[in-house]
Amino acid sequence: NGCYKTARHFWNPTGLMITIEQVSHRYPQATDPALTNVSLQIQAGECVGLLGPNGAGKTTLMSLLAGLQAVQQGVICFEGQPLHRLSTQQRQLISLVPQDFAFYPLLTVWENMVFFASLYSIRDHTRLRQLLAQTGLDEHRQKYAKNLSGGLKRRLNSAIGLINAPKLIFLDEITEG
């Protein structure tokens, strides 16, 4: 696989986290590609922003990096391994906070947190309580998610994205709302 060669070539003991090489993506029925030959390297600890107009491919790239869509062309490596070969445990080190709300509106804040924690087999709720405190949601824990203000819904979305203590987190349209 070309990724291993690439990863060895670019691997850096100071912490190369992501290598993206010549990634292209076209949606079915689309006349133009969403991405064309995107290459990028991201070191551990770096904060990288993707800027561009609507339709530039920012969300598509994040979806590919988070493993939500298959790479059609090119190579994406996470810590030197091809994304498609990561184990479940390795994939759980990556999190995506989507632009749209990704929680259940008919559950309370706390019920949402417990549900999403269960997807990672997290049974100790200490982390959940810490996240609620850090995001200012503790006093809202018994409110139904549908009744939260827009800003509190954003905080809940973010808290859910942090449940798994990700090593890598993608924030899509984080300043929205």
Side-chain angles (χ1 to χ4, degrees):
N1 183 320
C3 185
Y4 290 113
K5 180 188 281 182
T6 301
R8 278 195 300 272
H9 174 70
F10 289 112
W11 191 81
N12 176 339
T14 62
L16 186 62
M17 183 167 279
I18 299 173
T19 303
I20 304 165
E21 287 193 2
Q22 301 298 306
V23 170
S24 296
H25 189 84
R26 181 186 301 267
Y27 289 101
Q29 315 304 320
T31 54
D32 295 320
L35 298 171
T36 305
N37 297 322
V38 174
S39 294
L40 179 66
Q41 294 178 13
I42 301 172
Q43 299 289 326
E46 278 188 310
C47 181
V48 176
L50 299 175
L51 303 174
N54 289 342
K58 301 177 299 290
T59 297
T60 299
L61 182 58
M62 281 192 276
S63 293
L64 292 168
L65 290 167
L68 299 178
Q69 296 187 65
V71 176
Q72 294 173 345
Q73 182 180 348
V75 179
I76 297 177
C77 294
F78 176 67
E79 294 188 329
Q81 284 196 299
L83 202 55
H84 68 278
R85 290 195 179 175
L86 296 179
S87 68
T88 300
Q89 186 178 13
Q90 289 170 310
R91 284 185 178 277
Q92 289 184 353
L93 297 174
I94 301 170
S95 189
L96 170 69
V97 176
Q99 174 180 353
D100 297 321
F101 298 129
F103 51 76
Y104 292 98
L106 298 178
L107 295 179
T108 66
V109 168
W110 181 250
E111 290 167 339
N112 268 289
M113 295 293 286
V114 169
F115 171 76
F116 285 99
S118 73
L119 299 178
Y120 297 103
S121 300
I122 297 172
R123 308 254 184 274
D124 179 3
H125 293 166
T126 303
R127 174 141 179 89
L128 304 184
R129 287 188 289 276
Q130 290 170 342
L131 286 170
L132 289 180
Q134 289 171 342
T135 57
L137 287 169
D138 197 36
E139 65 187 64
H140 305 283
R141 65 187 300 161
Q142 296 307 320
K143 290 184 183 176
Y144 287 103
K146 70 177 184 175
N147 294 332
L148 298 175
S149 68
L152 291 176
K153 287 178 181 176
R154 289 269 166 232
R155 290 188 208 176
L156 177 56
N157 225 30
S158 296
I160 290 168
L162 296 171
I163 285 174
N164 58 327
K167 202 171 191 179
L168 176 64
I169 187 164
F170 297 104
L171 307 168
D172 193 6
E173 297 288 346
I174 193 63
T175 60
E176 178 92 11

